[in-house]
Amino acid sequence: MAMSGLRTTRMIWSRGLKAPSCHLQCRPMSAMASVQQTQHRETFEPEGPRVVTDIPGPRSKQMLQDLDQIQNVGMVKFFCDYEASRGNYLVDVDGNVMLDLFTQISSLPLGKSEVDLFHVTYVNYVNGYNHPAMMDVLKNPVNWSTFVNRPALGMYPPGDWAQRLRSTLLAVAPAGHQQVITMGCGSCSVENGLKAMFMKFMRVRRGGAPYTQEEMDSSLRNQLPGSPNLSVLSFSNALHGRTMGCLALTHSKWQMKVDFPALDWPIADFPNLRYPLDEFKEENRKEEERCLAMVEDLILKGDQNGMAVAGIVVESIQAEGGDQFASANFFQGLRDITNKKGIGLLMDEVQTGCGVTGKFWAHEHFNLTDSPDVVTFSKKMLTGGFYNKDSFRPQESNRIFNTWVGDPSKVILLEAVVKEMTRSNLIGQVNVTGEHLLSELKNMQARYPSILHKARGLGTFCSVDFCDTETRDNTVNKLRQRGMNTGVCGTTTLRFRPALTFLPRHVDIFMGHFDAVLADVTK
Amino acid sequence: MAMSGLRTTRMIWSRGLKAPSCHLQCRPMSAMASVQQTQHRETFEPEGPRVVTDIPGPRSKQMLQDLDQIQNVGMVKFFCDYEASRGNYLVDVDGNVMLDLFTQISSLPLGKSEVDLFHVTYVNYVNGYNHPAMMDVLKNPVNWSTFVNRPALGMYPPGDWAQRLRSTLLAVAPAGHQQVITMGCGSCSVENGLKAMFMKFMRVRRGGAPYTQEEMDSSLRNQLPGSPNLSVLSFSNALHGRTMGCLALTHSKWQMKVDFPALDWPIADFPNLRYPLDEFKEENRKEEERCLAMVEDLILKGDQNGMAVAGIVVESIQAEGGDQFASANFFQGLRDITNKKGIGLLMDEVQTGCGVTGKFWAHEHFNLTDSPDVVTFSKKMLTGGFYNKDSFRPQESNRIFNTWVGDPSKVILLEAVVKEMTRSNLIGQVNVTGEHLLSELKNMQARYPSILHKARGLGTFCSVDFCDTETRDNTVNKLRQRGMNTGVCGTTTLRFRPALTFLPRHVDIFMGHFDAVLADVTK
């Protein structure tokens, strides 16, 4: 039987591992062939990484040249074979098998074994085996119309929409939240979360009076009073997205910002804590108090200069800005200030949500006396969107709206993720794996004190800082050549963003390679 | 054989039409049942609308109350049964079958028969019948990993990405365009298209010199010189999206705008043409010249007051603003002005692209001497994104970027759409149907001159204006009660946005009901 198109996959799986049935993807097959192949199909992932070329390899480099004809490819690391990828392992087009600690910029919730469906499906066709998670979604023809008939959700929702929201987003809603709106991506989530804060602020300001004709008319011309002078306060080093409202709140990389006009909105310092935290408690407390005082001062200045601050936007953990953690006290301080001033608090959980910190939402670590007013999500949640308190709900129709308002096909996939998280206690797993990961990072830091510092983390949302950018980038590249795909943030930080299915044994595999690379770097 | 869950569908299809095999969606079935059911499965759509309740009906009303617990539902018209919907007919949860002339705010390209897959699939399982269009995408397990392993396209694209772009977006690219970037939605497409214009403008302004450290640093604080005082010129009544950059360009409805701070960017009048066009040629020519002069004046003022206009954003046809058409001369004028001033021209084709006007892109009707610099798309294209001329390509990495940068699962669906458009000559069909639609609209206008005027259109992108808002809305509601689902725009416009598979016989069905409703309204 000819099996063209299998070159890569056969090369990878030729060391005694059971071969995935990738030929099924390449050609229709007879019932007989189906039965023959079924013997070899089980869910599994590789025992470890396997590197057969430089990374990027020759095929990736060729594809890079090709894609460069169509768009700027400066951020592309390598090209992937998603059909061949398994579990926590990402396979590139050159047949390299990499342990994936970055998972599509932290946007893949379950790793690839849970979502790599075709071989299980074919087993199911023949043997009736029924995989419990996302596979069912794609296998079941009843779902297919959701994937191909994308509705305008805000006008013509499907009959099961409320139920879908309840079994997914509302089932995992932060305390104090019963309202949710879906969006397409993180940026749109934050943009519309801002609107919820502006509306609430202005509703209070006008004392519940209806809009005047002047407000309605002037808003269409971007003029006062309909387009008020309001701002949103953000923090240094933050990243909230790359549309213009989000970019006004984003201060992490000049490449995202330079040449683009920006709203002159107030920016407070985000606390810059010293590590180890327990050695610098007093210093760090003062640093956070300094930042909170700056927030209060900027709000006061906004009132004085006629551009009131309508809300504060903050990441539960600053991710792209360098994995900066602040304490529960700091966030409680923000909650107290916003409540005192009667303005909104939006917690951006796009990167920190969906269980990665060991709680479903990172802000749940802060034990806030009053939950945030708006909580945005995307990435591992597969759908963007935001929760808002009842008081931040749009009062009129057509205020928070667009053509699609999200995508039900992402929500039915999220439903499988949420079920799998419960069934397999994946948040419990994140806590176990995360504890091991952080402990091992601290060991490495003790072993290479001239290179590493500030090992930190919550759940598997861990990171460690390097002595300088060059050493970090050099390390990341050497790790990649060993089949360890990692991510970076800030200027000197290595960040870990594995899937929820990442296990202590994966940590150990990584640490073996990390140790070898650091030994090499310090040589 | 029990067939629970089929109430709605059986009710709908009980008048001699062949029943779709909806029970297949509800329960696993034996091979025997599969063969038995196969007799009844063919692609088809209803012969006409069928209304069995008020619209919204009791089930929709109940669901509305339910969803209202979770979010503002002020824009929801009724709830839909997408599994039961067929071809050009949308079925609601109360079993009403409606001819759909609005197609999810114009975002469904092929109608539902082409994309309603499950019954065809089951035929295929048994009989080997192979549907040529989107069904193959969902049926083929090789595609499933694309739906469940959404990649971070800008960093880890799949190996076939360049080829996919060539077989879809580049295969239908506007003349002069070989560069394309995907995005998640229309708003993100326009937001990033603006950035392409800002970058080009500033690159020319600094004469190709590299960014200074001061520019990089100040951009992170939203300050000059890194965050320059630049604007984008837009037109009255425009709609380009609902994120902050897009909203600055949007001037069609106060609900989208009021209470939100807005950039004070210049807004020129969009031509307000008198109909019938051939009776008011000279008047309309002057009106367009007036608007073009206003554009030039605003650009000059921008130069003078230190906020240069970096580009112009315009819809090929103003849709939400009331289906306002301008002439080829007007758009050629904009192209001449932007070229003369060395600024960008972005044509927003989010609603007008994908063949609906009888050409793939509406701006192809204008025979511009030089193609637009940026062309944005979304809706019927299933993926958002934009084309840009080579000179508008980002020069550095990480300038146009976000986590997902689009979604390959939408692009593989688009591939099926593009193939089907070619195979079935759907743009040819749009021209035939559109000619009939416009001709019939003009007949109705002649028949009801006190109510209708300004019948206009390109392809099936047609519309007619009413004497007042109340009469229009009353008509739309009466049409809905007869199973005609239509859309509105502006303040008095009825707009037609059917699928590409809309046929002259569907026009005739609609006109029968339209006539009856108008006769009733004028009684």
Side-chain angles (χ1 to χ4, degrees), chain A residues 489-501:
Chain A
C489 59
T491 52
T492 58
T493 304
L494 178 69
R495 62 173 157 173
F496 296 86
R497 297 292 180 275
L500 302 173
T501 53

Side-chain angles (χ1 to χ4, degrees), chain A residues 68-69 71 82 115 148-149 152 156 179-180 195 222 242 255 257 393 398-399 401 407 410, chain B residues 68-69 71 82 104 115 148-149 152 156 179-180 195 222 242 255 257 393 398-399 401 407 410:
Chain A
D68 185 55
Q69 304 298 309
Q71 54 190 218
Y82 287 103
V115 292
V148 295
N149 297 313
Y156 308 104
Q179 300 279 308
V180 70
K195 292 188 201 170
N222 299 14
R242 292 177 166 225
Q255 291 91 337
K257 301 273 295 177
R393 171 179 163 132
N398 203 13
R399 299 291 272 142
F401 188 82
D407 184 345
K410 304 302 182 193
Chain B
D68 185 55
Q69 303 299 309
Q71 55 190 219
Y82 288 103
Q104 311 301 322
V115 293
V148 294
N149 298 311
Y156 308 104
Q179 301 278 307
V180 70
K195 293 188 200 171
N222 298 14
R242 292 178 166 222
Q255 291 91 338
K257 302 272 294 177
R393 171 180 161 130
N398 202 12
R399 299 290 272 143
F401 188 82
D407 184 343
K410 303 301 182 192

Side-chain angles (χ1 to χ4, degrees), chain B residues 7-36:
Chain B
R7 202 187 57 75
T8 305
T9 309
R10 292 172 81 186
M11 187 167 63
I12 302 162
W13 306 111
S14 59
R15 295 197 306 174
L17 294 172
K18 290 173 184 174
S21 54
C22 290
H23 69 288
L24 293 174
Q25 310 152 52
C26 311
R27 53 183 65 249
M29 62 173 188
S30 69
M32 195 55 168
S34 162
V35 173
Q36 284 169 353

Side-chain angles (χ1 to χ4, degrees), chain A residues 393-407:
Chain A
R393 171 179 163 132
Q395 300 294 296
E396 308 86 18
S397 69
N398 203 13
R399 299 291 272 142
I400 304 278
F401 188 82
N402 56 45
T403 298
W404 286 317
V405 203
D407 184 345

Side-chain angles (χ1 to χ4, degrees), chain B residues 153-172:
Chain B
L153 270 174
M155 291 184 96
Y156 308 104
D160 60 2
W161 188 231
Q163 172 259 309
R164 288 274 189 214
L165 292 175
R166 288 206 175 90
S167 65
T168 54
L169 295 166
L170 292 176
V172 298

